[in-house]
Amino acid sequence: MRNLPARTSLEGSFPAEMLSAVATKESWRKEVHRPATSTHKWWAKRLGTVFRGILTSAVTPDGGDPSASYASGLDLSGMVVFDPFAGSGVTCVEALKLGAKVVSFDINPVATLVQRQAVQPWDMDALAAAYDHVEAACRQEVDRLHRTEDGRTVLYYFWVAVVDCPDCSIAVRLFNTPVFSRNAYPKRVPKAQLVCPDCLAVWESRYDFVSENCPNGHSIAHQGAVSGQLATCSNGHRFKVLQALQGRRPNYEMYAKMVANRDGGKSYEAITPWDHELYAECERMVAELPADAVLPRGSLAPGNNTDQALKWNFREWRDFFNARQLVSLSLMATAIRDLPGPSAEREALCALFSGTLEFNNMFTSFKGEGTGAVRHMFSHHILKPERTPLEAHPWGTPQSSGAFSTLLKSRLHRAQDYKDKPTDLVDREGVIERVTGISRPLAVQVVESWDSFVGSSGPVAYLATKNSAETDLPDASVDLVVTDPPYMDNVHYAELADFFHAWLRAMEPHPGYPDAVTTRRSGEVQHADPAEFGKAITAVWTECARVLKPGGLLAFTFHQARISGWIQVIESLRLAGFEVVAIQPVKGEMSTSVVKTGAREPSSLDSIIVCRRLVDGAKNPHDSVWEALEAALDKLRSLRDAGIDWGLGDVRSVVRGTLLSYLASTGTALDVNAEQTVEALVADAIAALSLDPVSGETRPIGALF
């Protein structure tokens, strides 16, 4: 049995610079460096390198060598690690790789499904046999529905939304440009595919054309009918697109297809009467599907991440799919559901199918040549309707992107290879290398109760869909709590996870998977109302304090753009009996993600909040607000000196967390006065770091300290 040091490297000599360097490399290709947790979409997936660093630093004494611990085959056998907000299972995977036993809960069943794929082993022969059975049951028909008249495979169909002008009722195709395909590097490869908005003729031109005539003689300009939220009809009437919908979903029209030619090449072609008749057959087939066929069930409920789809009058989850997608995906899902089970391999194919949905619906779009063709539906972390959606072949070919057959290799096969022989990113004298041999294989028993967990002698993970404010864990049963809680006002996971659940509930991936109409549940921590967020997260921290052993430690990653979110987190910890003993800024998600680059102040860093229980004698490490501020600045400077980029949003988040933690430790009420004090010191910090308070650019002014 390993006891935690009285003071750990996580609280003192934390290797933030080294971890940020390896985390930066991981952040560019999470699915390559940590494929076990990448078998299915989950949001805000954290970096495995950072969580390995948290775990190894938590058992290394302050003043020891936490970098060496990180790069070693450290053995946490005998320790129990608990993650109450488990998400995709990053904590679970990293702790199991170090030999610990893990309890991993999430309130959402889709998250639990993702975790189960991350840790349970598959018999690859059995997986191949199950895949072959599904293929034999449905592929021929799915392929038939994605064919040209001469028998070639259609990889992608291109669609455009159509609305009627409110003033003259003329149909308007919602193109923002006639360029529907271009290279990812257009200056290097300028050729592009154009469509005529009038007659839907398709031809090749340049991405930067100004104007030209289509093959049928129509004059075409680079700007289409749509600009932002407004559209203009051919009679010159300008109107809001949402207004034109008049309570209905837009109509969609096929205008082009990408075809796999027999010589191995691809070609763009216009839609023919054959294509229209084939699609009409799909519409008839949907109506004729048997009553027990798997189809998406349920309605969208209002929410932060669903309201945009509701404004476009998408009401049912099946509205997200056209007729050919519904038929094809139903055939695939039904074949998977009907596999004998339960088994880990059947469950893996259920998860694989669910992951395929992300790329096969009418909210996806075309990324272009020279990159993965399909831009998945969650690239903006909301349910954003597409004016020019892309319909892909859901089973796919070797030339496809985001298809069931291609994801089998890139997700499941890659994940199993990683489970058998995990790799880790290690800094070797300034060079980041992928190494093997310092982590244990991921072949663990998955159990669903505490009694089974404590009764197991080998590697084990207790995975369950639970509200972590109400667990079955005994008092003082956990050595470490390591997690990444939901942020107050970020992505509302359940609202988006319902898209997958609408299919999964009829497939029952594993025994106990719920057939509820939604994954939204009472007790969810995520909430836009700060008070509700604080109340829910306090309940979870209180449970964590109960199950922690004396001398145990809670560590979690956090980043919050609003100071109100920080206030609620710090207050919730105090109410639950915790004291913040350290805040360690470290590299977070890739800062160039679509969501982050669209933020007003994009973030690059997460704060690791390290806590111990007040009943164990925990104390905040600072003696004054100025000392706390200087500590935060020193850590930010050290990261900058090591070449780790950060911006204004990171400064605000790290400084707010550090100062609020200190103030709370003194008994100061975190009220309006405290908020004003902290914000004034944040401004001082920005000046001390020589940053322009608006642009975030470095400016030549003297430091305050």
Side-chain angles (χ1 to χ4, degrees):
M1 183 71 65
R2 177 191 290 270
N3 293 319
L4 297 185
R7 180 171 167 80
T8 69
S9 291
L10 188 55
E11 297 158 271
S13 52
F14 184 67
E17 296 79 17
M18 179 277 290
L19 281 176
S20 294
V22 295
T24 297
K25 184 165 184 176
E26 181 191 343
S27 71
W28 287 98
R29 293 295 302 275
K30 292 181 189 177
E31 76 282 4
V32 171
H33 297 299
R34 289 296 192 273
T37 51
S38 299
T39 60
H40 191 286
K41 176 69 178 180
W42 195 253
W43 297 270
K45 185 176 69 176
R46 313 324 287 171
L47 298 168
T49 46
V50 170
F51 276 72
R52 180 183 178 89
I54 292 172
L55 291 162
T56 54
S57 294
V59 298
T60 303
D62 188 23
D65 190 346
S67 294
S69 296
Y70 169 89
S72 72
L74 199 63
D75 185 0
L76 302 189
S77 296
M79 294 193 71
V80 175
V81 178
F82 174 38
D83 186 348
F85 302 106
S88 62
V90 172
T91 298
C92 182
V93 165
E94 298 305 320
L96 289 169
K97 285 164 52 184
L98 292 165
K101 289 187 173 183
V102 180
V103 179
S104 189
F105 294 163
D106 200 281
I107 201 167
N108 194 288
V110 177
T112 304
L113 179 65
V114 181
Q115 294 166 45
R116 290 171 63 95
Q117 308 323 300
V119 302
Q120 64 185 357
W122 302 314
D123 180 323
M124 297 308 284
D125 289 337
L127 182 66
Y131 176 88
D132 290 345
H133 185 89
V134 173
E135 184 174 26
C138 66
R139 182 178 179 179
Q140 184 175 358
E141 184 68 349
V142 173
D143 279 346
R144 185 184 72 81
L145 300 177
H146 297 79
R147 295 288 193 196
T148 62
E149 189 169 7
D150 60 5
R152 292 172 295 151
T153 298
V154 178
L155 300 174
Y156 308 107
Y157 293 97
F158 297 83
W159 293 75
V160 61
V162 183
V163 299
D164 292 336
C165 172
D167 294 312
C168 64
S169 299
I170 194 169
V172 181
R173 293 168 174 144
L174 299 182
F175 291 109
N176 65 347
T177 177
V179 178
F180 71 90
S181 174
R182 69 178 196 174
N183 195 274
Y185 305 96
K187 292 184 179 179
R188 189 185 308 166
V189 184
K191 72 176 182 178
Q193 301 296 320
L194 273 59
V195 59
C196 175
D198 294 322
C199 67
L200 300 184
V202 172
W203 73 102
E204 187 174 294
S205 182
R206 288 179 56 95
Y207 80 98
D208 55 355
F209 87 100
V210 176
S211 64
E212 58 183 83
N213 293 329
C214 85
N216 294 324
H218 298 113
S219 179
I220 307 302
H222 198 279
Q223 177 61 51
V226 177
S227 178
Q229 299 179 0
L230 300 175
T232 306
C233 78
S234 58
N235 289 328
H237 299 126
R238 193 167 173 81
F239 58 90
K240 288 186 176 181
V241 173
L242 282 177
Q243 183 182 17
L245 293 176
Q246 297 182 344
R248 300 184 299 271
R249 295 198 312 277
N251 294 317
Y252 289 93
E253 188 174 9
M254 278 189 294
Y255 66 88
K257 57 183 181 282
M258 182 194 290
V259 180
N261 295 320
R262 294 184 176 88
D263 62 2
K266 296 178 290 187
S267 60
Y268 293 89
E269 300 177 12
I271 296 300
T272 68
W274 161 272
D275 298 312
H276 287 298
E277 177 51 39
L278 183 61
Y279 186 78
E281 181 185 354
C282 293
E283 293 178 311
R284 295 190 294 271
M285 291 175 69
V286 170
E288 296 168 359
L289 284 171
D292 67 343
V294 176
L295 284 166
R297 291 185 288 155
S299 304
L300 281 74
N304 187 65
N305 299 111
T306 55
D307 283 349
Q308 192 162 3
L310 287 168
K311 287 178 182 178
W312 279 62
N313 305 302
F314 289 85
R315 301 284 182 245
E316 308 290 326
W317 289 111
R318 68 181 291 157
D319 295 342
F320 283 55
F321 306 89
N322 70 24
R324 179 166 31 226
Q325 290 170 330
L326 284 173
V327 170
S328 301
L329 293 168
S330 179
L331 291 171
M332 295 163 62
T334 304
I336 296 168
R337 180 202 62 189
D338 292 343
L339 287 169
S343 71
E345 294 73 34
R346 177 188 176 278
E347 182 181 331
L349 291 183
C350 287
L352 178 66
F353 169 81
S354 181
T356 303
L357 297 171
E358 183 183 3
F359 303 91
N360 290 272
N361 60 78
M362 294 296 279
F363 279 48
T364 64
S365 58
F366 189 57
K367 290 170 67 175
E369 298 281 3
T371 184
V374 184
R375 181 178 291 105
H376 63 79
M377 68 181 299
F378 295 117
S379 59
H380 295 277
H381 284 192
I382 58 173
L383 298 174
K384 178 178 178 293
E386 284 293 335
R387 294 191 296 259
T388 53
L390 183 74
E391 178 196 353
H393 189 313
W395 190 276
T397 76
Q399 296 171 288
S400 295
S401 172
F404 187 74
S405 60
T406 58
L407 292 178
L408 174 74
K409 297 180 176 63
S410 64
R411 290 190 172 180
L412 298 195
H413 288 184
R414 183 182 282 167
Q416 186 59 41
D417 289 344
Y418 183 87
K419 293 179 196 178
D420 290 340
K421 196 173 183 179
T423 61
D424 290 284
L425 293 170
V426 173
D427 188 335
R428 297 276 173 84
E429 298 181 354
V431 178
I432 310 300
E433 299 179 359
R434 289 179 70 182
V435 301
T436 58
I438 64 172
S439 291
R440 289 154 184 74
L442 287 166
V444 303
Q445 180 185 3
V446 174
V447 300
E448 298 178 18
S449 72
W450 176 258
D451 289 341
S452 299
F453 180 73
V454 295
S456 175
S457 58
V460 63
Y462 174 13
L463 306 183
T465 303
K466 283 184 179 291
N467 178 354
S468 289
E470 303 168 352
T471 76
D472 61 344
L473 307 186
D475 293 351
S477 56
V478 169
D479 297 280
L480 275 169
V481 178
V482 178
T483 191
D484 175 56
Y487 301 164
M488 186 181 73
D489 55 358
N490 202 352
V491 180
H492 291 248
Y493 308 137
E495 296 174 10
L496 302 180
D498 278 352
F499 169 78
F500 301 113
H501 178 69
W503 291 85
L504 288 168
R505 56 185 291 210
M507 299 175 74
E508 194 180 9
H510 58 82
Y513 187 92
D515 187 23
V517 297
T518 178
T519 65
R520 302 187 192 192
R521 289 183 61 188
S522 174
E524 286 180 352
V525 166
Q526 202 155 35
H527 206 290
D529 182 330
E532 290 299 318
F533 171 75
K535 179 181 176 182
I537 202 168
T538 298
V540 175
W541 296 148
T542 301
E543 184 72 348
C544 290
R546 181 185 70 79
V547 303
L548 263 179
K549 295 177 181 177
L553 186 149
L554 160 67
F556 62 94
T557 53
F558 194 71
H559 186 105
Q560 181 65 54
R562 293 163 60 188
I563 191 172
S564 57
W566 268 111
I567 288 173
Q568 291 298 330
V569 164
I570 299 303
E571 287 189 332
S572 71
L573 290 166
R574 290 288 290 183
L575 288 170
F578 282 106
E579 184 72 81
V580 176
V581 295
I583 290 183
Q584 307 287 6
V586 70
K587 172 70 180 182
E589 285 189 89
M590 184 172 67
S591 57
T592 55
S593 69
V594 171
V595 176
K596 288 206 169 189
T597 54
R600 185 170 63 89
E601 290 183 349
S603 62
S604 297
L605 303 180
D606 283 333
S607 291
I608 301 171
I609 316 302
V610 188
C611 309
R612 289 190 187 259
R613 300 188 307 177
L614 289 165
V615 295
D616 296 330
K619 294 182 179 180
N620 188 277
H622 306 302
D623 293 326
S624 71
V625 69
W626 301 106
E627 181 184 310
L629 178 58
E630 180 60 20
L633 292 172
D634 282 347
K635 290 172 181 178
L636 288 166
R637 290 187 186 110
S638 294
L639 288 170
R640 182 171 62 186
D641 292 345
I644 306 301
D645 293 331
W646 43 256
L648 282 172
D650 297 310
V651 177
R652 297 188 204 281
S653 186
V654 172
V655 173
R656 285 167 176 166
T658 305
L659 297 181
L660 289 167
S661 298
Y662 169 74
L663 292 174
S665 74
T666 67
T668 301
L670 301 185
D671 55 14
V672 173
N673 291 331
E675 183 175 334
Q676 290 174 347
T677 298
V678 169
E679 292 301 75
L681 291 170
V682 166
D684 287 345
I686 290 170
L689 294 167
S690 302
L691 298 178
D692 184 279
V694 176
S695 69
E697 298 296 320
T698 302
R699 61 182 185 180
I701 62 176
L704 297 182
F705 303 97

